Amino acid sequence: PMNEFFIREQPLDKSLLIGKKSANEIKGHLEWVIDLLEDSDWSLGDIKDKEKKIVARAKEIDWKVGEVFTPIRIAIARNTISPPLFESMYLLGKESVIKSLNQAIDILG
């Protein structure tokens, strides 16, 4: 079940996306992530560099590291638990990842 998102599109549960942060905060964060990823050449090395930028962003916006990764993980894997996130994103491909992030933004309103 944890890997099912690799095989078929899963439904997205809005309640998983909203935790300690508001829908607007999560939405703004995911929009930032999309902007960051759109510039990627989608090599594994570049994806791992983006991961470092997201970690740095946590400090900039005064969020915990888990708080910046969890909405991304939920948007991509549709769950709070998944295989390694950035490696999973690499395997899924840029178009699929950005589509999933946009779906999460849309569901947040």
Side-chain angles (χ1 to χ4, degrees):
M2 183 172 50
N3 296 319
E4 198 165 347
F5 70 99
F6 283 116
I7 302 165
R8 68 181 64 80
E9 192 169 321
Q10 301 295 306
L12 179 58
D13 183 350
K14 181 179 179 178
S15 68
L16 285 178
L17 281 168
I18 302 172
K20 296 178 183 178
K21 304 298 178 188
S22 71
N24 283 336
E25 288 173 309
I26 299 296
K27 186 177 174 180
H29 172 60
L30 293 176
E31 288 168 344
W32 180 87
V33 171
I34 289 171
D35 287 343
L36 179 70
L37 294 176
E38 283 180 336
D39 290 339
S40 176
D41 66 12
W42 219 256
S43 66
L44 185 55
D46 189 50
I47 296 294
K48 297 300 283 181
D49 286 343
K50 303 300 186 197
E51 179 180 18
K52 292 174 189 171
K53 289 181 180 185
I54 294 169
V55 169
R57 178 163 166 78
K59 186 174 182 178
E60 292 171 14
I61 62 175
D62 198 29
W63 287 19
K64 295 177 183 173
V65 172
E67 291 173 327
V68 294
F69 286 128
T70 298
I72 302 167
R73 184 178 311 281
I74 292 166
I76 303 302
R78 307 302 209 224
N79 201 328
T80 57
I81 302 167
S82 75
L85 179 59
F86 290 84
E87 289 82 351
S88 297
M89 290 167 58
Y90 171 73
L91 292 172
L92 288 167
K94 186 176 186 176
E95 184 178 314
S96 177
V97 167
I98 290 176
K99 177 184 173 189
S100 293
L101 292 168
N102 276 316
Q103 288 172 338
I105 289 167
D106 290 346
I107 202 170
L108 288 169

